[in-house]
């Protein structure tokens, strides 16, 4: 509604309602993955025992999403298709190595494909999704139990605000040594970003003060935010540095 009222999005002559497609609802375990239906709302994410057990970082993101009213209707599929660089579930999904499940029915035949979420976003509001496809689900690999996961969102107020920056971290920790480290950032580039240099600074290391500082500095260097009415590029870089330090310090 805000986008159409601002004139950025025109209503299509044909609208398609997805709500009654059962395959787009619910969270289920499918082998080594969780299949989260595209129509799962933020409230349902927070209440799902499977999501809470295997992807608590998504629960954290949903908990900080807008307000109760918006959480009750906003779906994870809509958040992904909206492709805002500040979309709150995109950062955890990147940190979790999720895949986007797309389906289409050209010529009456149902076809599907899966795209790694890191390849799905092409720019603000732009994705790899073809016009005739819908997002059916998000698939999240179930990693080893007890991984460290954290989502951090910075806005100008605690409720009903879009992220000025957001950070997602997911890692294994064996005897204090980090492995399979995934770090993602939101609102600091045209698309949600994997922090490859930050990950390299953490992989295989103990979380000492020096390692945390090196990783936070790498994060500040690899994001490329813009100035806008929410925050300046300089402020965003500094907050990425400072807040990643806080997230990692919490992990110790
Ligand atoms: C007041 C307000 C507060 C908000 N706060 C936040 C916030 O805190 N964090 C945040 O990340 N976002 C926020 N948003 C943005 C928005 O609500 C979310 O992106 C939400 O997740 C969108 O989900 P939806 O189901 O409402 O999608 P819709 O708005 O219905 O759809 C978004 C777009 O994706 C398409 N689409 C939806 N589902 C599918 C599908 N399964 N397959 C193919 N295309 C699809 C639609 O056609 C449309 O173009 C806010 C919006 C408002 C109005």
């Amino acid at each position: 509604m805000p986008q159409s009222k601002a004139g950025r999005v025109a209503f299509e002559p044909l609208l398609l309602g997805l709500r009654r497609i059962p395959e787009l609802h619910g969270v289920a375990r499918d082998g080594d993955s969780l299949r989260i239906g595209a129509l799962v709302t933020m409230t349902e994410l927070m209440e799902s025992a499977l999501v809470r057990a295997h992807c608590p970082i998504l629960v954290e993101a949903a908990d900080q999403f807008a307000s109760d009213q918006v959480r009750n209707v906003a779906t994870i599929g809509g958040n992904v298709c909206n492709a805002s660089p500040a979309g709150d579930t995109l950062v955890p999904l990147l940190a979790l190595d999720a895949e986007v499940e797309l389906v289409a029915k050209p010529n009456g035949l149902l076809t599907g494909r899966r795209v790694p979420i890191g390849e799905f976003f092409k720019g603000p509001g732009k994705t790899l999704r073809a016009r005739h496809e819908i997002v059916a689900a998000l698939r999240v690999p179930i990693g080893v139990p007890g991984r460290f996961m954290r989502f951090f969102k910075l806005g100008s107020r605690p409720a009903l605000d879009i992220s000025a920056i957001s950070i997602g971290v997911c890692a294994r920790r064996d005897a204090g040594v980090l492995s399979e480290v995934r770090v993602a950032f939101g609102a600091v580039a045209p698309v949600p970003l994997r922090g490859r240099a930050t990950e390299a600074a953490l992989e295989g290391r103990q979380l000492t003060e020096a390692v945390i500082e090196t990783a936070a500095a790498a994060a500040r260097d690899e994001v490329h935010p813009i100035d806008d009415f929410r925050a300046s590029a300089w402020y965003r870089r500094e907050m990425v540095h400072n807040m990643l330090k806080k997230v990692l310090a919490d992990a110790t």
Side-chain angles (χ1 to χ4, degrees), residues 174-196:
D174 300 297
V177 177
L178 298 184
S179 61
E180 297 172 22
V181 182
R182 302 282 181 274
V183 181
F185 301 108
V188 294
V191 294
L193 200 72
R194 264 286 285 279
R196 306 278 177 181

Side-chain angles (χ1 to χ4, degrees), residues 185-229:
F185 301 108
V188 294
V191 294
L193 200 72
R194 264 286 285 279
R196 306 278 177 181
T198 311
E199 291 172 4
L202 294 169
E203 186 72 32
R205 295 193 166 83
Q206 301 256 5
L207 277 178
T208 62
E209 256 181 58
V211 166
I212 291 177
E213 179 52 48
T214 307
R220 177 167 49 196
D221 288 346
E222 72 178 329
V223 297
H224 36 97
I226 53 166
D227 293 315
D228 69 12
F229 64 92

Side-chain angles (χ1 to χ4, degrees), residues 1-3 9 18-19 24 38-39 42 64-67 70 73-82 84 86-89 129 133-136 153 160-163:
M1 290 308 293
Q3 288 173 17
V9 173
L18 303 175
R19 293 261 171 208
L24 268 53
L39 290 181
M42 297 303 128
Q64 294 178 53
F65 197 106
S67 60
V70 177
V73 289
T75 65
I76 191 166
N79 201 221
V80 167
C81 291
N82 200 37
S84 159
D88 281 332
T89 65
R129 183 178 70 82
E133 287 178 311
I134 60 170
V135 170
K153 169 174 175 173
L160 254 180
D161 204 5
I162 304 292
S163 302

Side-chain angles (χ1 to χ4, degrees), residues 101-115:
E101 185 186 309
L102 292 149
V103 292
K105 209 174 179 186
N107 314 317
L109 204 65
L110 195 65
T111 61
R113 61 174 178 141
R114 293 186 195 171
V115 179

Side-chain angles (χ1 to χ4, degrees), residues 150 152-154 165-167 169 185 212 216 219 235-250:
R150 178 58 53 84
F152 179 86
K153 169 174 175 173
L154 181 78
I165 65 151
S166 60
I167 301 174
V169 179
F185 301 108
I212 291 177
Y235 180 75
R236 285 188 158 108
R237 274 207 195 85
E238 290 306 306
M239 287 303 112
V240 162
H241 172 269
N242 296 352
M243 297 306 146
L244 183 66
K245 272 177 84 166
K246 178 177 158 34
V247 167
L248 295 175
D250 286 351

